[in-house]
Amino acid sequence: MRVDEFIDLMRSSGCRYSYVGDDFGGVFVALDVEGRLFSCMDGKVLSRVNPDAFTKISTGGVYYNPGGDGLWPAPEGSRLGYEYSTGNWRVPPGITGARWVETAPGVVNAEIDLINNEGIGLPCRFGRKIEVVRSGTREMTVNVVESIEYLGQRSYGRDEVLLVPWSLCQFDCGAGSRLIFSDGGEGSFWDMYAPSTKQRRIESGKCIVDLCTAERFQLGMSSAISCLRFEDAGRGLVVERRGCGLPSGLDWIDICDRSPAEEPDGRPVVLSAYCDPSGFMEVESAGGCSKRLEPGFKNELRTETWFRLD
């Protein structure tokens, strides 16, 4: 999608937006569409865009995934997740209905109330601080500090509440698209759901994943893997997503979409990559969890996403 088309879409749908960057490239923040970030360069929107998410309303039965780069709470499933508080999978209406506000240049936030699968309500403030750095004539780096601040008055142990910021960065993909990351050895990456062995191979110490698929799959990564590289030969687009470690006192957790009857006791996820047969993929990074959730605690996740457009 061209940038002018994207601006027309936001204006015609009544979506407020802000912009961080310069005339060549930067990031649009869709303030009324989950506060999603849409990266652009040279007059083109690089992120996936789903126009239906701007013109239609998501409900418990139908979710219009906007694309872009979203901030969600983790874990997704399990007894302490946020997607099954009604018994069935749904994106919390606190997320889909949030109205974000720009409080300073490149800084946006929204108050979002969450309910985990145990029925515990958590009033929160979500925040995103965005910096765009030009690193070449056709390159840029987007640095984001994601945050979830707990506004409630009660404290909770990790057996009651897990609350982790989780960044999901989406791109259209298909024939000629692939994911590349270093092979960190046994146990450094794994299938979170269905097997993806037919989609991937190891060459010269790199895992290469074909993203043209008839079945959805998702790979989880440990801290042995520091970077995910997405390549789309058709568009001449290269993207690298890096996590930036954790603040002291936090631990990575299992963010998996599992049954709400199960415990969140799977492998801790640092980075992950999701591929959907409808033609999009996500490079994701996850934050960590504190030993206890105390009033006023602000959990931060720093991400670095580098773009090159050939």
Side-chain angles (χ1 to χ4, degrees):
M1 179 178 285
R2 299 195 313 268
V3 166
D4 59 341
E5 294 174 325
F6 185 54
I7 292 174
D8 286 344
L9 173 64
M10 289 190 289
R11 287 176 174 170
S12 64
S13 63
C15 173
R16 297 170 302 122
Y17 66 89
S18 65
Y19 181 73
V20 183
D22 58 25
D23 290 342
F24 175 76
V27 174
F28 286 96
V29 187
L31 297 168
D32 294 320
V33 183
E34 296 186 22
R36 295 262 177 151
L37 312 181
F38 295 85
S39 297
C40 64
M41 277 199 295
D42 196 25
K44 304 176 184 68
V45 180
L46 308 180
S47 309
R48 176 178 184 257
V49 179
N50 178 9
D52 283 345
F54 291 78
T55 60
K56 298 179 181 180
I57 297 175
S58 291
T59 65
V62 179
Y63 175 60
Y64 298 103
N65 197 323
D69 186 328
L71 170 60
W72 279 9
E76 183 172 358
S78 81
R79 180 174 65 86
L80 299 181
Y82 296 96
E83 310 295 317
Y84 291 93
S85 59
T86 62
N88 296 313
W89 187 93
R90 68 165 186 170
V91 179
I95 297 288
T96 59
R99 294 297 177 260
W100 290 69
V101 176
E102 184 178 33
T103 57
V107 180
V108 298
N109 61 55
E111 292 196 12
I112 297 175
D113 292 345
L114 301 172
I115 304 173
N116 76 2
N117 298 337
E118 290 280 81
I120 295 176
L122 302 171
C124 298
R125 180 182 293 114
F126 283 42
R128 316 190 82 174
K129 183 178 180 180
I130 307 129
E131 177 191 34
V132 176
V133 180
R134 286 283 299 279
S135 52
T137 56
R138 302 188 69 80
E139 298 177 7
M140 71 176 183
T141 300
V142 178
N143 298 311
V144 182
V145 180
E146 314 275 24
S147 63
I148 301 179
E149 181 182 0
Y150 172 53
L151 304 177
Q153 300 181 27
R154 291 183 54 190
S155 64
Y156 295 97
R158 288 184 61 167
D159 61 335
E160 300 172 288
V161 168
L162 296 175
L163 182 59
V164 169
W166 174 27
S167 173
L168 311 89
C169 191
Q170 294 186 1
F171 301 96
D172 293 318
C173 66
S177 298
R178 62 182 189 170
L179 177 76
I180 303 173
F181 55 89
S182 297
D183 179 11
E186 184 176 356
S188 62
F189 66 94
W190 60 93
D191 286 306
M192 295 174 69
Y193 310 114
S196 65
T197 49
K198 64 182 181 181
Q199 299 293 134
R200 51 185 166 88
R201 64 188 186 277
I202 302 294
E203 290 184 1
S204 303
K206 302 285 187 182
C207 183
I208 301 173
V209 185
D210 179 8
L211 299 176
C212 187
T213 179
E215 299 177 352
R216 76 177 189 124
F217 63 88
Q218 186 163 358
L219 294 168
M221 287 87 173
S222 74
S223 58
I225 296 172
S226 60
C227 177
L228 300 178
R229 181 182 177 97
F230 168 70
E231 296 182 350
D232 185 345
R235 287 189 289 169
L237 174 64
V238 180
V239 180
E240 291 184 353
R241 161 61 66 99
R242 292 177 175 82
C244 299
L246 292 181
S248 176
L250 302 185
D251 301 300
W252 283 294
I253 65 165
D254 172 21
I255 68 170
C256 219
D257 180 10
R258 56 179 75 248
S259 165
E262 297 179 18
E263 293 293 322
D265 55 6
R267 302 184 194 184
V269 174
V270 176
L271 296 170
S272 65
Y274 172 76
C275 190
D276 195 275
S278 65
F280 77 91
M281 68 87 63
E282 296 175 344
V283 285
E284 307 177 356
S285 52
C289 189
S290 59
K291 302 298 183 185
R292 288 191 64 83
L293 182 64
E294 301 286 355
F297 178 69
K298 188 175 184 178
N299 195 344
E300 293 188 343
L301 165 67
R302 296 175 183 271
T303 63
E304 177 184 298
T305 310
W306 173 81
F307 296 85
R308 188 182 77 219
L309 189 61
D310 293 329

